[in-house]
């Protein structure tokens, strides 16, 4: 049966509630991607601290259990009630780490060391990109890191249709440069079909 949706505005939780309720989630990797595994492994070899990490727009929160098992303090948030319900149902015994919250209004309990990005930035319309980047910068102190997957294209005149919404490499660099410096950038080889050929694993350090 073909999915039927009444909401067309990804700025609103109803848009995502409908898609989760009908099982239409082509962005769901349903596993822990390799670049994140590699980053966590390197972190554990070189750092003795326990990082405090936020996952905005967590969706199914597939990575939450892995990060908690690795000793990280993790909070996963989503403004969609259906997404939160889906996440909680599959991340026991860490379901308490999943909260329904708006990224732009959420305040973490303590200072963050990391924010993990996966299919959140590209899910939101281009008009609020600057606000998302600014909020990342507000949440992360100097030296903290934004890590994850970013949907980028070398072409400057890219389509504004989505989600997912592509961002040009030049535009993204311009948005990030006032607040962050990029310390790692690798093309991803294990992307889902909806992201294939456009996904980059990146690590950004807060200036």
């Amino acid at each position: 049966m073909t999915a039927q949706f009444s909401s067309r505005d990804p700025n609103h939780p109803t848009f995502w509630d409908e898609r989760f309720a009908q099982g239409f989630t082509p962005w769901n990797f349903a596993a822990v991607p390799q670049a994140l595994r590699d980053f966590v492994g390197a972190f554990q070899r070189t750092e003795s601290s326990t990082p405090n990490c936020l996952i905005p727009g967590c969706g199914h929160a597939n990575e939450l259990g892995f990060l908690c098992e690795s000793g990280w303090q993790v909070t996963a948030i989503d403004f969609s009630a259906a997404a939160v319900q889906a996440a909680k149902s599959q991340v026991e015994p860490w379901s308490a780490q999943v909260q329904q919250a708006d990224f732009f209004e959420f305040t973490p309990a303590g200072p963050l060391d990391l924010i993990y990005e996966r299919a959140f930035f590209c899910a939101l319309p281009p008009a609020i990109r600057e606000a998302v980047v600014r909020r990342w910068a507000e949440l992360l102190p100097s030296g903290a890191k934004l890590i994850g997957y970013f949907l980028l294209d070398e072409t400057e005149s890219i389509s504004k249709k989505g989600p997912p919404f592509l961002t040009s490499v030049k535009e993204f660099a311009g948005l990030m440069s006032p607040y962050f410096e990029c310390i790692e950038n690798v093309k991803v080889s294990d992307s889902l079909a909806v992201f294939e050929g456009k996904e980059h694993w990146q690590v950004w350090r807060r200036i």
Side-chain angles (χ1 to χ4, degrees):
M1 183 177 179
T2 304
Q4 299 291 326
F5 308 120
S6 60
S7 176
R8 301 294 176 183
D9 182 7
N11 282 309
H12 198 279
T14 303
F15 177 96
W16 303 102
D17 287 339
E18 288 185 338
R19 284 147 182 81
F20 276 91
Q22 297 185 48
F24 184 81
T25 56
W27 60 84
N28 180 26
F29 192 72
V32 180
Q34 189 58 48
L36 177 61
R37 290 184 179 275
D38 294 343
F39 180 89
V40 172
F43 187 96
Q44 290 177 317
R45 290 191 297 271
T46 58
E47 304 287 341
S48 58
S49 60
T50 299
N52 185 16
C53 178
L54 175 67
I55 308 177
C58 66
H60 290 86
N62 297 300
E63 301 90 339
L64 177 63
F66 167 71
L67 295 176
C68 289
E69 287 178 347
S70 299
W72 290 25
Q73 298 177 23
V74 187
T75 302
I77 63 171
D78 205 295
F79 71 169
S80 162
V84 170
Q85 182 179 6
K88 283 181 174 289
S89 69
Q90 69 174 25
V91 297
E92 291 287 355
W94 302 285
S95 61
Q97 307 307 115
V98 183
Q99 302 178 25
Q100 185 175 357
D102 187 320
F103 169 68
F104 294 102
E105 299 176 1
F106 176 77
T107 300
L112 293 174
D113 301 293
L114 296 131
I115 291 177
Y116 173 62
E117 160 65 27
R118 185 72 191 268
F120 173 61
F121 186 78
C122 69
L124 298 174
I128 65 170
R129 284 174 178 161
E130 187 175 353
V132 174
V133 174
R134 189 166 55 247
R135 186 62 181 148
W136 282 336
E138 290 170 354
L139 288 167
L140 290 171
S142 178
K145 295 183 175 104
L146 170 70
I147 66 171
Y149 295 84
F150 301 87
L151 195 63
L152 305 175
D153 194 281
E154 300 292 340
T155 305
E156 289 188 43
S157 57
I158 58 178
S159 171
K160 299 300 183 182
K161 184 179 179 181
F165 297 97
L166 280 165
T167 309
S168 75
V169 171
K170 182 178 180 180
E171 179 188 359
F172 191 60
L175 289 169
M176 296 292 284
S177 61
Y179 313 103
F180 295 92
E181 60 176 338
C182 186
I183 59 176
E184 187 176 348
N185 177 29
V186 181
K187 275 285 191 80
V188 176
S189 60
D190 60 349
S191 299
L192 289 168
V194 69
F195 303 133
E196 191 171 4
K198 306 295 184 183
E199 205 168 24
H200 294 239
W201 164 265
Q202 296 185 338
V203 178
W204 293 84
R205 181 189 291 121
R206 180 72 169 96
I207 297 170

